[in-house]
Amino acid sequence: MTCPGDWPEPVVRVQSLSESGKPVIPDRYIKPPPDRPSANSSPPHINIPLIDMAGLTSDDLAVREATLKEISEACREWGFFQVINHGLKGELVDGAREIWREFFHESMEVKQKYANSPKTYEGYGSRLGFQKGAILDWSDYYFLHYLPSSLKDHHKWPAKPPSLREVVEEYSKEIVRLGSVLLEVFSINLGLKHDYLQNAFGGEDIGACLRVNFYPKCPQPDLTLGLSSHSDPGGITFLLPDENVSGLQVRQDQQWVTVKPARHAIIVNIGDQIQVLSNAIYKSVEHRVIVNPDKERVSLAYFYNPKSDLLLHPAPELVTPATPALYPSMTFDEYRLFIRTRGPQGKSQVESLRSPK
């Protein structure tokens, strides 16, 4: 299974379609009726759990234990939660989002210098998956590598706006710190050694990459999606949402819950590799993005991933006669290639790997 060197069809920038002012979207973006955003939306008062991470360093043991429990329940019941008091300054959170908004409003000539290919996805893109004739999502994006350092190439990061590279460096460093904190929390909550998951990910030799999503205004938001339903293939995803425009929806009890972000919160979700390592005690969860007729939306999805060539499998301590290993050993590279071939497809990707009972 190999990635082709180029996309199967000419790439169309969704931002250009949006700015054309046409009142209808091309057929390539129209989803089948069951996949359209009006289907099975939840009541507006429901939201993903909100967790104050300051509790993890409290002097009060009861507060620390209560915070660990909150995270454990969120991982088991939702696979999604948002955190506040996470250690990232508000100015950095806002600055990271807004510097990327500026990039997407640079001229097309500037952006096209970074046009990507399916070989690495790195750079400026407008589609995920490379099946010819696929129904596409209403979004453009920018993908870049931060770790391992051998993959990081500042020349592939936008040179405009001028401060972008500096802001991305600072933001990336903070997200990697947050990733190591939560891997330790997950390990403790699963009854494993505190450094089990970090070591399973490769110690300090982990992968970290950023996809910045740009969802332009859409004249027919009821017919399409900004990002089709999928679970994230990696370890942990840290999403910096657009606080002014909601769009992320999480599947819970067969309904789609629209996430309402707290001020300066980071949204955390479990990826497929944590599902494998925890033997499905923690599950990755389907999510998707709806689009807006009047407002654009920018979000930053940071993927904190295992080292790409390590074999991953359920933790032996979590495998018993009553709970046998549900997944075969596979490297993250092998799994990522498997995912990229087909594009977003709900939870079918990871579930198809389950060992027959």
Side-chain angles (χ1 to χ4, degrees):
M1 203 190 307
T2 56
C3 285
D6 213 343
W7 302 108
E9 298 132 335
V11 173
V12 176
R13 302 303 180 191
V14 176
Q15 189 174 5
S16 298
L17 292 175
S18 175
E19 291 173 354
S20 72
K22 291 180 180 176
V24 296
I25 63 175
D27 290 348
R28 291 294 304 278
Y29 298 88
I30 297 176
K31 304 294 181 184
D35 297 340
R36 293 177 190 171
S38 56
N40 300 322
S41 288
S42 71
H45 65 275
I46 298 177
N47 200 8
I48 61 173
L50 176 64
I51 295 170
D52 185 346
M53 288 191 68
L56 292 174
T57 53
S58 170
D59 292 335
D60 187 330
L61 177 61
V63 172
R64 292 202 303 275
E65 289 181 344
T67 306
L68 286 170
K69 186 180 178 185
E70 282 182 52
I71 295 172
S72 176
E73 289 175 352
C75 290
R76 290 168 184 264
E77 296 171 15
W78 280 89
F80 261 86
F81 54 97
Q82 48 183 331
V83 294
I84 55 173
N85 291 319
H86 38 57
L88 282 78
K89 293 178 182 175
E91 311 90 80
L92 177 59
V93 167
D94 290 337
R97 186 195 307 107
E98 295 314 309
I99 200 85
W100 278 107
R101 193 187 303 276
E102 286 180 43
F103 167 78
F104 282 103
H105 286 286
E106 294 283 354
S107 70
M108 190 57 71
E109 181 185 11
V110 167
K111 291 181 289 198
Q112 281 295 118
K113 291 177 184 174
Y114 303 98
N116 73 349
S117 80
K119 200 165 183 66
T120 66
Y121 275 77
E122 201 166 6
Y124 176 50
S126 297
R127 66 179 291 165
L128 300 166
F130 45 83
Q131 288 182 329
K132 192 169 184 178
I135 297 175
L136 302 177
D137 291 332
W138 192 262
S139 57
D140 299 322
Y141 63 86
Y142 203 101
F143 182 82
L144 58 83
H145 287 287
Y146 180 67
L147 292 175
S149 53
S150 59
L151 290 180
K152 182 169 75 171
D153 183 351
H154 272 181
H155 295 297
K156 293 181 180 177
W157 298 15
K160 286 185 172 184
S163 61
L164 184 145
R165 292 174 179 173
E166 181 184 347
V167 171
V168 171
E169 276 285 348
E170 185 181 357
Y171 183 76
S172 300
K173 185 174 71 173
E174 288 296 310
I175 289 293
V176 169
R177 175 193 57 77
L178 187 57
S180 64
V181 169
L182 281 179
L183 274 189
E184 182 171 9
V185 168
F186 292 173
S187 295
I188 292 166
N189 280 340
L190 287 165
L192 303 168
K193 289 182 180 177
H194 74 97
D195 57 356
Y196 180 87
L197 289 175
Q198 189 74 60
N199 289 336
F201 269 49
E204 293 186 4
D205 196 8
I206 55 114
C209 49
L210 170 66
R211 189 180 71 227
V212 185
N213 306 297
F214 183 76
Y215 303 104
K217 292 184 285 189
C218 179
Q220 294 179 296
D222 54 327
L223 297 181
T224 190
L225 290 168
L227 190 56
S228 294
S229 173
H230 65 288
S231 62
D232 289 344
I236 309 174
T237 303
F238 296 95
L239 182 79
L240 174 57
D242 194 316
E243 292 183 359
N244 299 315
V245 190
S246 61
L248 175 65
Q249 293 189 322
V250 176
R251 190 188 279 278
Q252 169 80 338
D253 296 332
Q254 302 308 308
Q255 288 188 316
W256 288 105
V257 175
T258 300
V259 174
K260 292 160 274 294
R263 180 80 171 127
H264 292 148
I266 303 283
I267 296 169
V268 180
N269 69 278
I270 300 295
D272 292 345
Q273 305 310 311
I274 292 285
Q275 177 168 326
V276 169
L277 286 160
S278 72
N279 206 29
I281 294 171
Y282 293 172
K283 293 182 178 68
S284 60
V285 172
E286 274 184 81
H287 51 287
R288 67 184 188 182
V289 176
I290 57 175
V291 287
N292 191 290
D294 306 310
K295 297 176 181 176
E296 68 184 32
R297 184 170 173 273
V298 177
S299 68
L300 280 64
Y302 225 113
F303 305 106
Y304 187 95
N305 294 329
K307 187 172 183 287
S308 62
D309 59 356
L310 286 180
L311 275 178
L312 297 165
H313 50 77
E317 295 91 330
L318 303 178
V319 175
T320 69
T323 56
L326 294 174
Y327 306 99
S329 295
M330 181 182 277
T331 69
F332 181 50
D333 254 355
E334 290 168 337
Y335 185 72
R336 187 162 40 189
L337 188 53
F338 171 67
I339 291 281
R340 284 181 175 175
T341 304
R342 305 196 295 178
Q345 293 191 8
K347 280 275 290 184
S348 63
Q349 315 272 44
V350 68
E351 296 304 336
S352 69
L353 298 177
R354 271 185 182 257
S355 305
K357 289 186 177 178

